[in-house]
Amino acid sequence: MALAMSAAMTNACAGRRVAVLGGGIAGLTAAHELAGRGFSVTVYEIRGGVRGLGGKARSQYFRVGGHEVPGEHGYRFMPAFYRCLPETMSRIPRGATPVVDFRMPQPNSVADALVGLDRFAVARDNMPLGIIRREVPRTKDLPGLALTLGKLFHSISPRDARHMGRKLLAYYATGPIERAERFEALSFWDYMEADRLQPIARRLLESMPQSLVAMRASEGNARTLLDVLQLMMLDYGRPGSAEWVFPGPTTDVWLAPWVRLLVQLGVRFAQGPTQRIVGLEVDGGQVTAAHRAGAAPVEADLYVLATPLEGSQAILRASPTAVMGCSQLAKVLAIPSSATRWMVGLQLLLRDRDRPWTRGHVAFADSPWGITAVSQHQLWSHEHRQRITRAGGAGLLSLIVTEWERPRDSEAPRARDLTAPEIVREVVRQVASCRDLEQHPMLRADDVLAHHIDDDVRFGPRVEGNGSPLLIHPPGLWARRPSVVTGYDNLVLAGDYVQNPMDLATMEGANATGRMAANRLLDVVAHTPHDRAMVIADYQAEHVSPALRALGRASDLRYLRRRSNAPTPQPQPMPRDHDQVTHDLVTEAQSLQARAS
Ligand SMILES: Cc1cc2nc3c(=O)[nH]c(=O)nc-3n(C[C@H](O)[C@H](O)[C@H](O)COP(=O)(O)OP(=O)(O)OC[C@H]3O[C@@H](n4cnc5c(N)ncnc54)[C@H](O)[C@@H]3O)c2cc1C
């Protein structure tokens, strides 16, 4: 029966021409789901070749002594709470094996090769590296979370550790309604009352959002950040890997096999500068064409606008008739550039010895430029490690700089004002002020054999611009983001800036919108509710234990009844040490949890 229905739907879709505009994760996901179901899909992408696909997730390559070194746009990690992305990867064979049913997991898939991690590290100036391991026995409930927090805040004073721990616990005892209404409107900084903290604790707090996206603590909203941090902390209290990375460059180990599968499913790729989409034409409530920079207009039955925020804005500015009367397209145009920031990857090829630091990512919490890093050699397969060796390298550090405008609390220069070599020197200086596990500086200037900075950053010779800013999530942004569904039946939006249940600009969010876009077009064309791409309606509901959800529901009831029964805060004696902080947090968590019953 299911097969018969699938066949019927494939017939409804067969031959329908879909133009996917933009070949990033959102666009490739939509192409995958639609081509597999019988649509005739063409992806239009400015960048050429397989290496030009994948958008912000694509790898970048540089040459050292005649050898190619694989780099990244910025290193990739996938927390274990991701659902859509791993599911897509599980359906992509690593080799050229023909795929019989694109809906089914494949043997020897891209997902099978992912490398699981169970730790990350916080590096602080002049302190030994603090490694957080996934060893908390259970984080099903608030006391479990309190134990994780006790570990996380070891580098700050007991007073500040208690303050931050209590603020986080109080948030985790709230429910989705209050989060959406109150905490979405507050900045993370204000919610955490960060002005009350000592500088060392403030810097740790600032580094928390910046290790996720290029979001300053004072700019990102409390809900987006705390929800994601909660999901990550829960992963650190579960068996299995807390996060995943690739065993090689993203393009080689994921995107190239994906493109091979898409070609097998019949997807066509029109790539290069002439394929730049420059405008949309509409007539009678339908999109009738997408104009290209250097070729005849694209005419399709259905359109997926999967360009990034700034790309979609440029297209829509040139398409006033399409925007007129379509509130979702008007929303795209209304998102200010201040809702994006720069998050830029750079790689350092190391000369004589590798710097493995830890098998996980490292947040340099005191670095004025909000640096995070992964030491890649140890995580890559033999084949890709050899590429580093062939270029004369002993290791490859992949770093991300998230603060380009306002160095944090320091005399450090603005990254925006420098040349490429000056940026590299300053990055090395900031990393070198932290100590590894043997108490040695984590890096020395003469460790660096060669470097590569994200190709999207334009130098001339100083920094002139960045072609790929990333969405941050200021208070109130959620309501101002457009939805997948537009006022045009044959046009959908996809991309990390489009509303989706993973409320953080990530590959997971981009993938989710690609699926939602495909599902919407299936609704329009096939009028049957079966065989849709899997989407996650609510990551918290999926991931958070029933005990914690019950706590949130009870809290929401109180919130809705507007019962302000919060006890007046009593002055607290100064905690003696971190063990006492952890003990106090666990006690507080138990009493919060008890209120749910
Ligand atoms: C440095 C860095 C590190 C990151 N690390 C992670 C991570 O570890 N984990 C994670 O989950 N997320 C990470 N992200 C976020 C993630 O990469 C993005 O959210 C995601 O890749 C966005 O995908 P997208 O398809 O929405 O947009 P994009 O990746 O921007 O893709 C859009 C595509 O459209 C093309 N395009 C643009 N304009 C046009 C036009 N006019 N015509 C035709 N084509 C056009 C572009 O060339 C691009 O290929 C990181 C981001 C950055 C910047």
Side-chain angles (χ1 to χ4, degrees), residues 376-413:
Q376 293 194 308
H377 188 271
Q378 60 183 330
L379 303 170
W380 281 5
S381 66
H382 178 66
E383 173 196 351
H384 298 295
R385 283 207 300 264
Q386 274 192 323
R387 296 163 81 177
I388 297 174
T389 316
R390 274 200 294 274
L396 186 66
L397 299 179
S398 194
L399 303 108
I400 291 180
V401 172
T402 52
E403 180 52 83
W404 285 75
E405 303 282 344
R406 285 198 326 231
R408 297 191 321 222
D409 286 345
S410 101
E411 302 293 304

Side-chain angles (χ1 to χ4, degrees), residues 463-477:
V463 174
E464 286 188 341
N466 175 10
S468 56
L470 191 65
L471 191 76
I472 57 170
H473 298 259
L477 186 73

